[in-house]
Amino acid sequence: MGQVEVNMETTPQSSDRSGSSEEAGCSFMLEAVGWYGTGAIVLAYLLLSLGLLDSNGLPYQALNLSGALGIILISFKKKAYQPAVLNVVWAVIALLAIGKAVL
């Protein structure tokens, strides 16, 4: 039978985890914001497609803007730049539409 080696150095020790609960909380919040962003954009599209929202209305554009911002935050955190850039453009379009609706 072959021998199995266990590398104990890869196992984190409790002394190496300083601030890990704080980092985990921040990570959880960023994940939640990212998932909110995804949900908000999908919800906006669903409600628009069902005729429950007007594409020129503030609720539709607010969902798009807030959703895009959520995805931007998590995308930059994960260094996923393609969805970040897409959602920067998405957010700018939403801001322009909100500006048009308000003015």
Side-chain angles (χ1 to χ4, degrees):
M1 299 297 260
Q3 289 183 322
V4 176
E5 289 186 33
V6 177
N7 184 354
M8 298 302 288
E9 293 179 26
T10 60
T11 306
Q13 301 297 319
S14 61
S15 62
D16 294 341
R17 295 183 180 180
S18 59
S20 66
S21 64
E22 191 174 302
E23 290 172 10
C26 182
S27 179
F28 174 79
M29 287 302 295
L30 282 172
E31 287 290 331
V33 168
W35 280 111
Y36 164 79
T38 300
I41 289 175
V42 171
L43 180 64
Y45 181 60
L46 173 68
L47 295 175
L48 179 69
S49 297
L50 295 177
L52 299 173
L53 285 181
D54 177 22
S55 65
N56 295 318
L58 288 176
Y60 176 72
Q61 297 303 336
L63 282 170
N64 275 304
L65 176 61
S66 64
L69 293 174
I71 294 173
I72 289 166
L73 287 175
I74 193 65
S75 295
F76 277 118
K77 170 68 175 165
K78 292 185 173 189
K79 295 182 170 106
Y81 299 115
Q82 294 90 343
V85 170
L86 171 65
N87 281 281
V88 165
V89 173
W90 201 272
V92 168
I93 293 169
L95 281 171
L96 291 172
I98 289 171
K100 180 181 174 189
V102 170
L103 297 177

